[in-house]
Amino acid sequence: MNRTKLSPANIVILAAGVVMLIASFMSFYRLPFPGGAVTANAWDRGLFLIATLPVLLGGFMALQVGLVAFGRIDMPNRLLGLTWDQVHLVLALQCVVLMLAFWVESRPPTVTFGAGFWLMFAAAIALVVGALMRIATTRRRPRAI
Amino acid sequence: MDGHKPTPAELTILIAGGAMLIASFLHFQDGSSVWDRYTFPVAALLPIYGVIMAAEITITDLAGVKLPGRVAGFTWEQIHLVLGLMAGLMAVGWLLTDTGKKPIGQWIEIAGGIALAVGAVRMQRERRTGAIG
């Protein structure tokens, strides 16, 4: 493993992607009742695929970072005309927009968000932070004249 | 005013965006539109993306208004591509999400989202951005 390739920005993205994936199997919505609770995760009926999209997008980001850092795979410089920094920013923003939308959405008063939702929300924010860190790092890098 | 006749890609986005806006007031899920409680704003993201794309084309290409060439480092063609692909992705997301019987509003939003993706990809070829093909 070539760890020297993993920048702080990529560590944030990799960690956030992993957290997002794990959290997706935890409770997204929670319906408590005396003595217990009914829960649904992002892969359950009624939530899959729309609530699973942030997981897939975050997973793709983490996979790209992981493949470049550990798999020694050379990626093309651009994807669909976008630099990889732009791709990460766009995917991270889409993740956070979706999670924000779920947060704002009205739900029956008895239904609450579970730990999985909050972890996914935090991971989505971390993905944006990681993507912005990548862009900031690229801008600081000295360019050849 | 320096407008021009819309190209096939622009027309696709304009029609899809318009149809999605109108369909957003029809039933999307359980007798609610995308603007109602329990569906807004998750379901509203699709028509919002469509309206943004259609509005940019209307303002710049049809009305001839000049907008800044780039927004946050992205060209308008890239913004269309990104919004179109994300709309397409969400459309597939809603297509596969079990929301019970899908009303006509949801079908139009799904078709519109896919049409936005097709229009955005086609725009890259029309404007020779080099992003695709």
Side-chain angles (χ1 to χ4, degrees):
Chain A
M1 289 208 298
N2 184 2
R3 289 176 188 277
T4 56
K5 274 189 175 178
L6 211 51
S7 65
N10 285 341
I11 291 172
V12 172
I13 290 172
L14 199 56
V18 172
V19 168
M20 183 82 91
L21 182 64
I22 294 167
S24 71
F25 294 99
M26 297 163 66
S27 62
F28 193 91
Y29 287 126
R30 198 164 177 276
L31 177 60
F33 59 85
V38 176
T39 62
N41 69 38
W43 301 88
D44 279 336
R45 201 173 157 189
L47 286 172
F48 176 86
L49 177 67
I50 197 66
T52 324
L53 282 180
V55 185
L56 300 180
L57 297 174
F60 178 83
M61 291 171 68
L63 186 68
Q64 193 273 335
V65 164
L67 284 177
V68 171
F70 305 126
R72 293 164 180 254
I73 291 171
D74 284 327
M75 297 272 175
N77 287 336
R78 287 174 176 266
L79 180 68
L80 299 174
L82 300 169
T83 65
W84 279 104
D85 288 349
Q86 287 178 316
V87 170
H88 280 284
L89 182 63
V90 161
L91 297 182
L93 286 175
Q94 179 65 24
C95 277
V96 95
V97 163
L98 276 167
M99 293 311 298
L100 267 173
F102 276 109
W103 184 47
V104 170
E105 192 178 56
S106 299
R107 54 194 183 283
T110 48
V111 176
T112 60
F113 290 121
F117 171 84
W118 292 115
L119 277 173
M120 281 175 69
F121 201 172
I125 293 168
L127 286 173
V128 174
V129 171
L132 290 174
M133 283 168 70
R134 271 180 71 114
I135 290 172
T137 309
T138 307
R139 286 198 178 154
R140 274 202 301 269
R141 202 173 291 156
R143 291 179 188 173
I145 297 167
Chain B
M1 301 279 262
D2 185 26
H4 69 82
K5 211 174 149 199
T7 64
E10 291 168 352
L11 211 52
T12 305
I13 292 170
L14 282 172
I15 293 169
M20 289 167 87
L21 178 63
I22 294 166
S24 72
F25 297 99
L26 302 175
H27 288 174
F28 185 87
Q29 184 181 350
D30 300 331
S32 305
S33 80
V34 303
W35 309 106
D36 287 335
R37 281 183 78 181
Y38 305 130
T39 48
F40 178 84
V42 179
L45 289 176
L46 264 175
I48 288 172
Y49 283 23
V51 167
I52 292 171
M53 291 172 72
E56 194 277 334
I57 288 170
T58 308
I59 291 168
T60 57
D61 290 2
L62 303 183
V65 176
K66 290 250 186 256
L67 291 179
R70 283 174 178 265
V71 179
F74 290 85
T75 64
W76 280 105
E77 286 79 14
Q78 287 176 326
I79 292 172
H80 277 287
L81 185 63
V82 161
L83 288 178
L85 291 179
M86 288 304 142
L89 197 63
M90 286 191 289
V92 173
W94 279 114
L95 181 67
L96 297 182
T97 302
D98 184 1
T99 56
K101 192 173 184 295
K102 293 188 191 299
I104 184 71
Q106 190 177 141
W107 282 116
I108 295 173
E109 294 299 340
I110 290 169
I114 292 165
L116 288 178
V118 171
V121 167
R122 199 163 172 184
M123 177 188 277
Q124 310 304 309
R125 294 218 170 107
E126 279 180 358
R127 297 188 184 179
R128 296 192 176 88
T129 61
I132 291 157

